[in-house]
Amino acid sequence: MEEITTSEELQVTAFEIILNSGNARTLIHEAFAAMRLKDFETADQKLTEANDSILIAHQSQTKLLKEYAGGKKIEMEIIMVHAQDHLMTTMTLLEVAKEMEFLYQDRH
């Protein structure tokens, strides 16, 4: 018999992704503020913390993907679509922030 992920389980995973990627987004914006002040030590620290939060969000996502690959049926919900969107845009923002830090350091 095929196992099924409940709506509640999926929502918990979605909110874990949203929470951790949201924390990362906040840290990235704090890093941008530090860059503008030429405080690159703080910017580095914030970007490292942001990356750590993204990794936690990604682990939640990976757990769900492993369950799916193992045959567990997952009914997709809009909250998970939102969570995935949140995570992917935050991952992209982190990449941009790292490049911006390089540019700030190079020009100032």
Side-chain angles (χ1 to χ4, degrees), residues 2-3 5 61-74:
E2 190 174 88
E3 247 188 290
T5 298
Q61 177 190 49
T62 300
K63 179 181 174 275
L64 194 63
L65 290 170
K66 284 181 180 178
E67 289 173 359
Y68 177 75
K72 197 168 189 181
K73 184 171 170 54
I74 298 171

Side-chain angles (χ1 to χ4, degrees), residues 7-91:
S7 178
E8 184 177 314
E9 290 171 330
L10 188 66
Q11 289 174 18
V12 167
T13 300
F15 282 116
E16 287 173 355
I17 294 168
I18 292 167
L19 171 69
N20 288 295
S21 60
N23 289 343
R25 182 177 292 266
T26 297
L27 289 161
I28 292 166
H29 285 287
E30 290 173 2
F32 280 135
M35 288 176 215
R36 286 190 293 273
L37 297 173
K38 301 180 180 105
D39 182 356
F40 299 111
E41 185 176 328
T42 297
D44 281 340
Q45 175 191 359
K46 298 292 183 181
L47 293 178
T48 297
E49 290 176 36
N51 190 65
D52 292 345
S53 289
I54 287 172
L55 288 175
I56 293 168
H58 198 262
Q59 287 169 351
S60 295
Q61 177 190 49
T62 300
K63 179 181 174 275
L64 194 63
L65 290 170
K66 284 181 180 178
E67 289 173 359
Y68 177 75
K72 197 168 189 181
K73 184 171 170 54
I74 298 171
E75 299 278 337
M76 192 50 58
E77 295 187 14
I78 192 70
I79 193 66
M80 184 54 75
V81 174
H82 174 68
Q84 295 296 312
D85 181 51
H86 209 288
L87 177 57
M88 297 310 297
T89 57
T90 303
M91 290 172 73

